[in-house]
Amino acid sequence: MAHDDHKPGFFKRWFMSTNHKDIGTLYIILSIIAAIIGGAMSWYIRLELMEPGIQYIDDFQFYNVLVTAHGFLMVFFVVMPAMIGGFGNWFVPLMIGAPDMAFPRLNNISFWLLAAALILLVIAGLTGGGPGTGWTVYPPLSSAEYHPGPAVDLGILSLHLAGASSILGAANFITTILNMRAPGMTIHRMPLFVWAILVTAFLLLLALPVLAGALTMLLTDRNFGTSFFIVEGGGDPLLWQHLFWFFGHPEVYIIILPAFGIISQIVSTFSKKPIFGYLGMAYAMCAIGVVGFVVWAHHMYMTGLDVDTRAYFTAATLVIAVPTGVKIFSWLATMWGGSIDFKTPMLYAFGFIWLFVVGGVTGVTLANAGMDTVFHDTYFVVAHFHYVMAIAAIFAMFGGFYYWIGKMCGRQYNEGLAKIQFWIFFIGVNVLFFPQHFSGMAGMPRRIPDYPDAYAGWNYVSSIGAFITMAGTFLFLWIAYRTVTSGEKIGANPWGEGATTLEWTVDSPAPFHTHEVLPDMTGKAPAE
Amino acid sequence: MVTTVTAGNLTVRNRRVGLMLALGVVAMVGLAYASVPLYQLFCQITGYGGTPKVGVVVEKATGAAAERVMTVMLDANVNKGLDWEFKPQVSKIKMPLGEETLAFYIARNLSDVAITGTATYNVTPFKAAEYVSKIECFCFTEQRLEAGEEMPMPVSFYIDPEIMNDPNTKDLENIVLSYTFFPSRKTASVETKDDNS
């Protein structure tokens, strides 16, 4: 099988790319850049919060801008580009035996729209005080009255571009997965990572247009005299919250479903067993996607919903624990009796399961409207969502990076250093976020730069955790740099018998063109 | 067996799926906008989020509900952008269920120019809102006050005796009826030159 490895020149290759692997690489680079900016913001926030009183940030609007930008960056420019744009672009075509994505030029537009969105967001942050609205952009705080000037408008346009980028990408993934699977690669034989991306793409396609509509309403409210969310004009700010969370709740599954996919591949590979309950795993993701659309008001228990509405949203939210439980127990059952190889990706998979379970347990707590009345807008919520989606997603990204970097660049990472990096990061994030449960239960509110002395102890511990995490991040950047420049060269399949998916059948690094002769999967077992 | 997929055939199928997905996106944007009138309709019908009902036929209370008296506290607020004074004539009224009752607020323009304002309203606790119906209210239209003018603002409303049959609301003894006046967005609220207040 002769691979055509002819590559175009530098500018044409990287700026006009239609190659799924190169675009995937671009997404991963963008994600790393955004992660450094967003991470630096969080370390600055923790530095301020290390002690009561005001140490570094005496401009409170600037503090709000930091919190807002940290959220936007991490959600739209770090996790989504890395997992969907990066690993999705790289490995969905490879895993289903397709030569490329269905719409390669659309793929290029998706990436550059996101790059433009990132630039707009940075400009928004530097304009007239910046957008200090929180990532939820609730009116009336985000209205022209409380945020005059163009900062919020620029932020809205940035989200519009990022949303358009994701919608185009999602349409591309769905078309690719539905139409371009290799012969014999039936829907029920697809690797679980492909399943995860398929479900995620549908969520993106249904949720992001609602955000786009709501953002447009906010934009016209601010600039063109409409009053969708303005009380005195007959609008209702609560409508924003309904629309935002109709997007926002599926959004957290958009972040975590690809992580589920990556973890499934890793657990199977390093347990040297097919995934336990493959169909259950696939349809658990579908169920999470569907239920995710009918639970949005659990973010709004404090807005005066009547008791029956709160009862419904509590019950519906608790139901999500069932398919997520199916996933957790299936991973454990996959490991059970397996010949487990504790390579770094597997350590990250273990770390992911721990973080996701802790965050899931506090999620069940918060799902109860009665409990949420006490915990709403406290650090308990901050601890919960950082465990369950933020840090869990980052762990899946690190795991995916170590798992696939050999395939992407043809060189293997340093196992010893990577294991040290895992332990530093794992200890760091737990020291960082676990104490926030305690300060939150004691009543420490979110989004404030100062707090009463009573909360000093756990905040200090939390900030120490942030600095350990920072060390882990820089060690990761060093490992990534060393891997790409001088890592050990590897063959097609460095992981051995456990790695059964199609990406391990092509050379490392994956040639510029792959699967030009479609692999025949007829009669083969499910990929995982 | 290898199924042969010609490139042209695949392109057509890809475009078909892509087009259907694009329609899905357009439909979801449409749904976001459709939610605006649907949401308002929903609030008015159900009293959701403290939106009182408007223009309902008064039903006389019968039985136990006829003897029940509800204390209604009248609350008044003015947006900081509006140079008015606005307060209820009395802060508290006791009213029988199922009986149309008239209450008065008083608004006064403190500035030396004519200003048009508009009032928003809600009922607390929110769960009581579906039983509070307004027959006539100053908040249904915009109100224009000349410089220094003072004007009574009447509201005629009634409380549905059904409130006694709802397990969520039958223990209620107090209801707050609240208004907030804003400068009008529809009409130019200040008609002469801005007084730079």
Side-chain angles (χ1 to χ4, degrees), chain A residues 262-319:
Chain A
I262 294 171
I263 296 303
S264 294
Q265 304 301 139
I266 294 175
V267 167
S268 164
T269 296
F270 294 97
S271 304
K272 302 192 184 72
K273 278 173 67 188
I275 275 286
F276 177 89
Y278 165 85
L279 277 185
M281 289 293 253
Y283 284 98
M285 287 193 280
C286 298
I288 292 168
V290 172
V291 182
F293 274 105
V294 293
V295 296
W296 74 91
H298 67 215
H299 298 272
M300 302 167 55
Y301 284 143
M302 301 301 284
T303 58
L305 301 177
D306 73 61
V307 69
D308 295 338
T309 312
R310 278 178 288 168
Y312 160 72
F313 279 105
T314 297
T317 305
L318 291 172
V319 164

Side-chain angles (χ1 to χ4, degrees), chain A residues 102-103 145 167 171 175 179 205-206 209 213 216-217 225-226 230-232 234 236 238-239 242-243 303-305 309, chain B residues 1-3 10 13-14 17-18 21 25 28-29 32-33 35-36 39-40 48 79-80 118 120 126 168 182 185:
Chain A
F103 306 113
E145 188 172 1
I167 290 171
T175 312
N179 282 355
L205 209 70
L206 296 175
T216 308
M217 292 177 205
T226 60
I230 299 173
V231 178
E232 61 268 37
D236 189 342
L238 269 185
L239 174 63
H242 282 288
L243 289 174
T303 58
L305 301 177
T309 312
Chain B
M1 191 197 77
V2 179
T3 34
L10 182 64
R13 288 198 307 152
N14 283 353
V17 174
L21 297 173
V25 171
M28 289 308 287
V29 175
Y33 274 89
S35 70
V36 177
Y39 180 76
Q40 277 166 356
Y48 199 77
N79 177 266
K80 65 176 169 146
T118 179
T120 64
F126 292 168
N168 290 333
F182 291 88
R185 281 170 65 86

Side-chain angles (χ1 to χ4, degrees), chain A residues 13-232:
Chain A
R13 178 172 180 191
W14 295 108
F15 287 85
M16 301 157 75
S17 181
T18 54
N19 179 294
H20 72 102
K21 301 181 200 82
D22 286 352
I23 292 175
T25 304
L26 288 171
Y27 268 112
I28 292 173
I29 293 170
L30 181 130
S31 165
I32 291 175
I33 293 171
I36 294 170
I37 308 173
M41 288 174 167
S42 66
W43 300 321
Y44 196 33
I45 291 169
R46 279 312 329 164
L47 198 62
E48 173 57 53
L49 292 174
M50 197 163 182
E51 284 166 10
I54 298 300
Q55 277 76 236
Y56 303 95
I57 306 174
D58 50 8
D59 176 355
F60 297 159
Q61 171 68 8
F62 178 61
Y63 184 84
N64 289 340
V65 172
L66 280 182
V67 171
T68 307
H70 169 75
F72 279 145
L73 281 169
M74 291 305 194
V75 169
F76 291 101
F77 299 97
V78 176
V79 176
M80 287 169 67
M83 295 217 275
I84 305 167
F87 296 139
N89 259 312
W90 252 98
F91 294 105
V92 164
L94 279 179
M95 284 176 153
I96 63 172
D100 205 311
M101 297 285 281
F103 306 113
R105 279 182 285 189
L106 199 65
N107 209 5
N108 174 295
I109 296 171
S110 295
F111 173 76
W112 288 107
L113 278 178
L114 192 69
L118 180 57
I119 293 169
L120 261 181
L121 187 69
V122 172
I123 296 175
L126 300 174
T127 307
T133 58
W135 87 289
T136 51
V137 206
Y138 281 0
L141 180 58
S142 60
S143 68
E145 188 172 1
Y146 295 99
H147 269 90
V152 170
D153 299 313
L154 287 166
I156 290 171
L157 293 176
S158 166
L159 289 188
H160 263 314
L161 288 191
S165 156
S166 290
I167 290 171
L168 295 179
N172 211 343
F173 277 117
I174 294 173
T175 312
T176 307
I177 295 170
L178 292 184
N179 282 355
M180 295 178 65
R181 298 187 311 276
M185 175 65 80
T186 60
I187 285 273
H188 284 166
R189 281 192 191 138
M190 296 192 313
L192 283 170
F193 178 67
V194 180
W195 263 105
I197 293 289
L198 180 64
V199 178
T200 305
F202 272 107
L203 295 191
L204 282 167
L205 209 70
L206 296 175
L208 276 169
V210 176
L211 175 70
L215 283 171
T216 308
M217 292 177 205
L218 188 61
L219 197 67
T220 56
D221 269 12
R222 287 175 53 82
N223 298 295
F224 305 114
T226 60
S227 31
F228 289 103
F229 309 122
I230 299 173
V231 178
E232 61 268 37

Side-chain angles (χ1 to χ4, degrees), chain A residues 290-453:
Chain A
V290 172
V291 182
F293 274 105
V294 293
V295 296
W296 74 91
H298 67 215
H299 298 272
M300 302 167 55
Y301 284 143
M302 301 301 284
T303 58
L305 301 177
D306 73 61
V307 69
D308 295 338
T309 312
R310 278 178 288 168
Y312 160 72
F313 279 105
T314 297
T317 305
L318 291 172
V319 164
I320 297 175
V322 176
T324 49
V326 167
K327 297 204 72 73
I328 296 288
F329 288 114
S330 296
W331 285 321
L332 296 182
T334 307
M335 295 177 194
W336 187 266
S339 167
I340 298 178
D341 194 356
F342 286 93
K343 291 284 198 314
T344 310
M346 190 61 169
L347 292 181
Y348 269 107
F350 278 107
F352 172 90
I353 293 171
W354 159 258
L355 296 168
F356 190 76
V357 167
V358 172
V361 168
T362 53
V364 170
T365 310
L366 287 168
N368 292 279
M371 304 282 272
D372 184 73
T373 306
V374 181
F375 292 136
H376 192 87
D377 266 348
T378 68
Y379 262 75
F380 192 84
V381 178
V382 175
H384 156 70
F385 72 75
H386 277 95
Y387 260 94
V388 81
M389 55 173 266
I391 294 302
I394 297 289
F395 267 51
M397 283 157 57
F398 277 143
F401 183 88
Y402 288 121
Y403 183 57
W404 280 318
I405 186 64
K407 184 55 61 187
M408 292 191 283
C409 76
R411 293 170 185 275
Q412 193 64 302
Y413 62 89
N414 180 317
E415 191 69 55
L417 271 181
K419 280 183 176 162
I420 292 171
Q421 194 264 340
F422 166 80
W423 284 109
I424 292 177
F425 210 81
F426 183 74
I427 292 168
V429 294
N430 281 290
V431 172
L432 167 53
F433 289 113
F434 211 84
Q436 294 184 3
H437 292 117
F438 309 142
S439 45
M441 288 182 98
M444 166 130 175
R446 295 170 72 173
R447 292 175 173 162
I448 53 164
D450 191 6
Y451 52 84
D453 291 358

